[in-house]
Amino acid sequence: MSIIADRYRRHADSFERTVAAARPDQWSDPSPCAKWTARDVVDHAVMMHGAMLAPVGRTLSPAPADALGAFRAARADVEALLADPVAAATGCRTPAGTVTAAEHVDQVLVDDLILHRWDLATALGLDATMDPAEVERMWAANTAIPAETMAKFRTPGAFGPGIEVFGPEVPVPPEAPTQDRLLGFIGRDPRWPRRSP
């Protein structure tokens, strides 16, 4: 359990540092996620924390309205879940089968934090380099997903209203860095420019 908690904490720390680096005037800036602003990226991350709590009958605690405060409150709730042996071991039904609540956090939320940290850092004009080991892991895992399953992942609403796991694949040269190929595969343009305000 401590391995999952440590992995979550490491990536939550990275995401939180990125949130903390934003200037107040940047929250309405566009992000690489179509139709999402920088603040929308953080709101999505907070919402996903709530999604990890729901299968064990928990909800997000009341939180401050600011992005940093909201994320810190949400991560505290997930860290409390991971620190509770009974809750962490509770089975959760997911599209990929039944896993423990801790495994659900590891398989869904950790990857979400890694990828959306890239979205947020890119939107804010910060260094968006991803952990190379995590990039290789996610590249191998995502490219191994069967085509039929991937088609469902790319279908908006397939897992519920407003839920889109991956966007349409963005063509990326085969010789491009693995991070760029991963981003293109999940539907991001790795060359997405930060637009001028």
Side-chain angles (χ1 to χ4, degrees):
M1 203 65 66
S2 64
I3 293 174
I4 291 176
D6 288 347
R7 235 167 80 77
Y8 167 78
R9 189 174 301 110
R10 186 168 72 253
H11 294 296
D13 283 347
S14 180
F15 191 89
E16 183 175 316
R17 284 193 298 271
T18 305
V19 176
R23 299 189 315 268
D25 65 337
Q26 290 184 295
W27 288 120
S28 60
D29 285 359
S31 82
C33 296
K35 302 178 184 175
W36 281 9
T37 63
R39 178 60 197 253
D40 291 334
V41 174
V42 180
D43 289 346
H44 170 81
V46 170
M47 180 273 293
M48 287 301 295
H49 279 65
M52 298 299 104
L53 301 173
V56 295
R58 298 187 182 194
T59 59
L60 292 171
S61 301
D66 67 285
L68 184 58
F71 180 74
R72 283 176 171 165
R75 77 170 287 188
D77 289 335
V78 167
E79 286 177 333
L81 165 66
L82 294 174
D84 181 334
V86 174
T90 299
C92 300
R93 298 171 81 179
T94 77
T98 300
V99 297
T100 67
E103 290 169 335
H104 198 205
V105 168
D106 196 43
Q107 294 171 10
V108 176
L109 192 54
V110 168
D111 284 6
D112 217 51
L113 286 172
I114 294 168
L115 295 169
H116 287 307
R117 188 209 158 265
W118 181 87
D119 294 322
L120 184 59
T122 300
L124 300 175
L126 303 174
D127 179 8
T129 303
M130 297 159 69
D131 180 324
E134 296 286 18
V135 168
E136 292 294 341
R137 176 188 63 79
M138 288 189 288
W139 172 253
N142 284 293
T143 55
I145 295 172
E148 183 177 317
T149 303
M150 183 55 69
K152 187 174 182 182
F153 282 171
R154 295 192 195 280
T155 302
F159 295 97
I163 296 176
E164 184 175 343
V165 180
F166 295 137
E169 185 170 0
V170 176
V172 175
E175 68 276 10
T178 308
Q179 174 172 310
D180 288 1
R181 288 183 285 136
L182 172 66
L183 290 166
F185 187 77
I186 65 169
R188 303 288 197 281
D189 181 355
R191 298 169 301 278
W192 186 88
R194 183 174 184 279
R195 301 174 189 127
S196 300

